[in-house]
Amino acid sequence: MEKISPVEPSVTPAASIGVITEVHGPVVVIRCDRLPPLRQALMAAINSESYLFEVHQHLDQGHARAITLHRTTGLCRGMPVYDTGAPLHIPVATECLGRLLNIFGEPLDGGAPLKTAEFRNIHAPPPALWDALGTGDILQTGIKVIDLLCPFLRGGKTGLFGGAGVGKTVLVMEFMHAMAALHRGVSVFAGVGERIREGHELWHEMREAGVMKQTLMCFGQMDESPGVRFRIGLSALTYAEYLRDAMRKEVLFVMDNIFRFVQAGSEISSLLGRMPATVGYQPTLISEVAELQERILSTRLGAVTAVEAVYVPADDMTDPAVDAILSHLDSSVVLSRAQAGKGIYPAVEPLQSASRAMDRQTLGDRHYAVAEGVREHLARYRELEDIIAMLGIEELSRQDRTIVSRARKLQRYLTQPFNVLSSHTGIPGTSVSLQESLDDCEAFLRGDYDELPEEKCYMRGSMRRATK
């Protein structure tokens, strides 16, 4: 891995490579004595404040266009610009766990800066093909509906799709709790375009849940430059790669929200003058998403499993950004506003969610048969809902009434109180093993709980514990 000496913003290099000639919001045009390479980190300084830029375009033989990685207040024409000699590098150390950092690896939690002599390039290439490993076996999360119907793959990529307010961030927090509690692994959280309030709440909730010591959080906040929101994912991924290589542990890489990464790329593309493509997105959408996704890999040293929250504009799953992200995923968990409206939490839509692991060879005969049985009951209930609403359940055949009753109980059984919300709800969180989920669902499908009231199935752990 490439290393350079620390670039201290307060230390100005000996000679400038040019001056700023134009400032258009977060975009600056620099007249250069020699053109710096694309993605090179440049620097300007005013008194004790420094500004970092990333080169994105060469306009002609003497001018380059760059995106600022700081607020632009104070920038002006004629300001000298200096070459740092490399792309943006960030400090890495095993002591980064438990910290809250920005895109430059600087603390946001009021703590001391990371003490290290090692820096890593955020644009580092992915591991060589012969060093990378494919996806492994099932990675249990302790969440019933996920483990049963859309299981995660160790070293794979999972997307949480949903509109605003359906519970993506809460589900992400529970995954991070499961990684620390069940697998003794570490988590890296990339907050892309997070609201300051959300980031502050999330940080405190992770501390209260007791998993912050095994978590690193990187934030590029909503009020920052689009360059920060565009690159914060790469900074966080660089830390995930370091923890994979240095600690040789299970690493959960969490990105919330990858759609804001796409939005930042679209903003930068417009500022650079590129012609927009489909639905106004940048013409480089596919390659930008692929550049990020293809670095999420496992090696012989350790595994990186990714969970990415994906905002779905207007709940439209055919949106080009959603489609570009979906093509890289092994599992897709769709969160439904209709489910949330019924009080079903997590609001996972089991009939729309899918996983590449859903086959007999990966899951085994028993898991596959139980999952298919649950899906069949839920699908039949969905087909009969309109008839029930118009004519009443009494008009159904006895067999259909039995299926509807079991499907409603399964639907409620797949709800679950989360550990990370126990301080807010007052309900102790619970984690359910896959074996327990399979036992319970088999019992529902056999009819063992046909006489049990529906409310006894709601917001519980395993049925064995609920019926004691």
Side-chain angles (χ1 to χ4, degrees), residues 17-35:
I17 64 163
V19 296
I20 295 175
T21 59
E22 298 178 31
V23 181
H24 302 281
V27 175
V28 295
V29 176
I30 303 167
R31 185 178 69 242
C32 304
D33 301 326
R34 54 178 177 81
L35 283 175

Side-chain angles (χ1 to χ4, degrees), residues 60-77:
D60 55 37
Q61 292 181 345
H63 290 82
R65 186 175 278 151
I67 299 291
T68 62
L69 299 179
H70 290 85
R71 290 184 176 87
T72 55
T73 305
L75 288 181
C76 61
R77 293 179 177 179

Side-chain angles (χ1 to χ4, degrees), residues 11-18 34 43 80-84:
V11 179
T12 303
S16 69
I17 64 163
R34 54 178 177 81
M43 184 175 66
V81 176
Y82 304 91
D83 190 353
T84 65

